[in-house]
Amino acid sequence: MEMKSLYLLIALAPLAGSAIAGLLGWAIGRVAAHLVTIGGVAVSAVGAVYVLNGLLNGAPTFDGPVYTWLTVGGIDYSVGFLIDNLTAMMMVVVTSVSLMVHIYTIGYMHEDPGYQRFFSYISLFTFSMLMLVMSNNFIQLFFGWEAVGLVSYLLIGFWFKKPTAIFANLKAFLVNRVGDFGFLLGIGMVLAYFGGSLHYADVFAAAPGLATKTVQIFPGVEWSLMTVTCILLFIGAMGKSAQFPLHVWLPDSMEGPTPISALIHAATMVTAGIFMVSRMSPLFELSDTALSFILVIGSITALFMGFLGIIQNDIKRVVAYSTLSQLGYMTVALGVSAYPVAVFHLMTHAFFKALLFLGAGSVIMGMHHEQDMRRMGGLWKYMPVTWFTSLLGSLALIGTPFFAGFYSKDSIIEAVAASHIPGSSFAYFAVVAGVFITAFYSFRMYFLVFHGEERFRHVHHDDHHGHHDDHGHGHAHVPHESPWVVTLPLVLLAIPSVIIGFIAIEPMLFGDFFKNVIFINHEAHPVMEELAHEFHGAVGMGVHSLSTLPFWLALGGVATAWLFYMKAPQIPAMFKAKLGAIHTLLENKYYLDDIYFGVFAKGSRGLGTLLWKVGDQLLIDGLLVNGSAKVVGAFSAVVRKLQTGFIYSYATAMIIGVLGLMTIWFSGLIAH
């Protein structure tokens, strides 16, 4: 099989599975629906591994069109693939995590009436993300970008009879519209100024010549073209990758079923922005202002979203805020020109975050759809596989030496320490403080769920989704381990969560893995060179870390969580009482939802109402349309009275007219 056909197969196999399960699911039944979608994604996963293996062994990269669907003004709008190491690595991550989620879904959605529909959606999601990462031009990138947004809307609101789910998917859709508007403007800037091509290679070739070019957005004010273009493109990433202040949709997206939380938040939608900025490194390297902007936004997200994870009681929301914080870390790495480190953290995070989400889902299943951690405890005895894999995922998340998350997270902290770009000192504080916070909320969740007293004995079960009624009500349930279709993906995800960082750090950060793929101006931004100078192998890095600040902060976070929630629960209760104002601020998520709803949503509705009442009804309808009709009507009413239908009336009018004309004529003669 020639390579172009293989790339098409990788992209289209999940789409074929999605179409069959979605359109024919009612006819083929549940088992066939999950077999065909899992088969499609498995074909993609095997193909992706084959492609990556080929590239690592010297196969050439591919950059070419597959199908041109429109040519306007000399610009080709085409479907094209760019297959290099970055693409291949993303393809492997997306398809492998998606495959685990597909298998897991068999168990998790077992009782759900929308079973076939769900499989159709998650396969469509996988196809959309593959089209995004494989694209070689901005148009296809935008197609994939919008497609993952659409499918996330369908999945977050999957239980469409649940009002909170419908509100959450609308919120996700609207917030992403804001980001996508910026992204579209950025693509417009590329089309207008970079030689009229939307092909990556052409744009990157044209970029150095435009490094000093300025544009006038407002008359009389010169802006750097690169800075404007890069910031607009990054606004798109802020929406997709949930960066402050466009992050508000992500915690609410927990309303969707748990498998989709794992897919959206680990491997697909939220990583799209990080991938896009890495892919656009030749542009971003030409604007320090844009990099500074990215760095500060990422720092705010990493630190302040972590704080929100501390006070959550819903097991899925803790993991969601952890995702926000970790995306902040990746964005910080982008801001200091450490693109390989950002992508490395994206990869390690995909595995351990998918593991944590699926572990949380397994707990929810074992607890008969209970999500409140205050009603759990002591589950390690009942759910040993879920307990152990969740522990491994948590250890990876907090950056325990030799685990996957350690290598990527510590590399980010070191990269920020080595950077001198404006904002790097604040970013360093944010990422270091974030280590303690991450360890604290991760192990708060771990201890509350798996250890301590069994608080579920006294719970009157209340069904969450309205479609698991066969559990009964009004008595406690003993938790149980999940079936193998749920625990197998947990085990398979736990393996890379432990070892992938150790294996991949050297080739990805200090080897040739991203050579000719990611471009860094080493003279202006020597961060990667400084990291390479300090790196003495994966083992050496792990051993050295035992004497560094991040390690002790992580240890302190775990110890504090153990003390607060295992030994002395009165301490957090005291803090909550003493620091009521801060707790209320965190409880209300910094009031951003209220500001958006109160100022933007109500404000825009108010403006719309004003324009409708005054502009439309009063001025246009009342004055222009109906007003002119009334003037004509009034004039007609007067003229109508002259139309009597009697001959003597008309004869009289004619005589008066003739007399009038004669009078005017005579008066003219006399005047002369």
Side-chain angles (χ1 to χ4, degrees), residues 33-107:
H34 74 229
L35 286 178
V36 72
T37 48
I38 290 171
V41 174
V43 166
S44 280
V46 171
V49 171
Y50 176 79
V51 168
L52 179 61
N53 186 53
L55 287 167
L56 291 176
N57 290 314
T61 59
F62 176 86
D63 182 6
V66 177
Y67 170 68
T68 301
W69 55 275
L70 184 67
T71 303
V72 178
I75 301 163
D76 285 337
Y77 297 94
S78 61
V79 174
F81 292 153
L82 168 57
I83 310 293
D84 56 20
N85 286 7
L86 174 61
T87 309
M89 187 276 297
M90 288 296 291
M91 285 157 62
V92 170
V93 170
V94 170
T95 53
S96 57
V97 173
S98 177
L99 181 60
M100 295 301 105
V101 171
H102 274 70
I103 295 167
Y104 177 95
T105 301
I106 298 173

Side-chain angles (χ1 to χ4, degrees), residues 251-255 308-309 312-322 357 371 589:
D252 286 26
S253 66
M254 292 298 104
E255 294 294 337
L308 294 179
Q312 300 300 319
N313 293 313
D314 182 321
I315 184 170
K316 280 171 68 176
R317 282 183 181 261
V318 179
V319 192
Y321 280 109
S322 154
F357 265 118
Q371 292 182 204
K589 300 178 274 193

Side-chain angles (χ1 to χ4, degrees), residues 553-668:
L553 283 171
L555 195 61
V558 175
T560 310
W562 176 79
L563 176 67
F564 279 18
Y565 295 97
M566 291 290 97
K567 287 290 157 200
Q570 68 273 18
I571 301 178
M574 181 195 76
F575 273 121
K576 186 175 174 179
K578 288 272 197 316
L579 303 172
I582 294 175
H583 189 273
T584 309
L585 179 70
L586 295 177
E587 196 86 79
N588 289 290
K589 300 178 274 193
Y590 307 120
Y591 293 100
L592 280 170
D593 282 353
D594 300 332
I595 291 168
Y596 288 157
F597 185 70
V599 177
F600 293 107
K602 285 190 174 172
S604 51
R605 279 193 66 172
L607 181 64
T609 306
L610 182 73
L611 291 171
W612 168 48
K613 295 276 189 195
V614 176
D616 205 34
Q617 288 190 335
L618 194 68
L619 292 177
I620 296 172
D621 286 353
L623 203 61
L624 297 176
V625 179
N626 296 339
S628 54
K630 281 176 183 167
V631 169
V632 171
F635 182 71
S636 306
V638 173
V639 172
R640 194 163 58 241
K641 289 190 167 58
L642 300 175
Q643 301 285 336
T644 63
F646 297 120
I647 289 176
Y648 60 78
S649 298
Y650 301 144
T652 306
M654 288 166 72
I655 292 165
I656 292 169
V658 171
L659 287 172
L661 286 170
M662 287 175 68
T663 307
I664 292 164
W665 185 60
F666 275 122
S667 58

Side-chain angles (χ1 to χ4, degrees), residues 309-313 373-374 440-441 443-449 451-453 455 557-573 575:
I310 294 172
I311 58 129
Q312 300 300 319
N313 293 313
M373 298 189 299
R374 292 169 297 188
F440 179 71
Y441 67 64
F443 274 81
R444 170 182 176 263
M445 174 175 83
Y446 170 76
F447 289 133
L448 282 174
V449 172
H451 293 280
E453 63 169 313
R455 295 179 296 279
V558 175
T560 310
W562 176 79
L563 176 67
F564 279 18
Y565 295 97
M566 291 290 97
K567 287 290 157 200
Q570 68 273 18
I571 301 178
F575 273 121

Side-chain angles (χ1 to χ4, degrees), residues 161-199:
K161 292 181 180 172
K162 196 175 159 195
T164 49
I166 295 302
F167 183 77
N169 75 349
L170 184 62
K171 188 174 179 181
F173 202 73
L174 290 175
V175 173
N176 271 285
R177 295 284 64 72
V178 177
D180 293 353
F181 180 63
F183 190 55
L184 201 51
L185 289 176
I187 295 174
M189 294 291 282
V190 169
L191 184 57
Y193 290 99
F194 287 73
S197 171
L198 288 169
H199 188 262

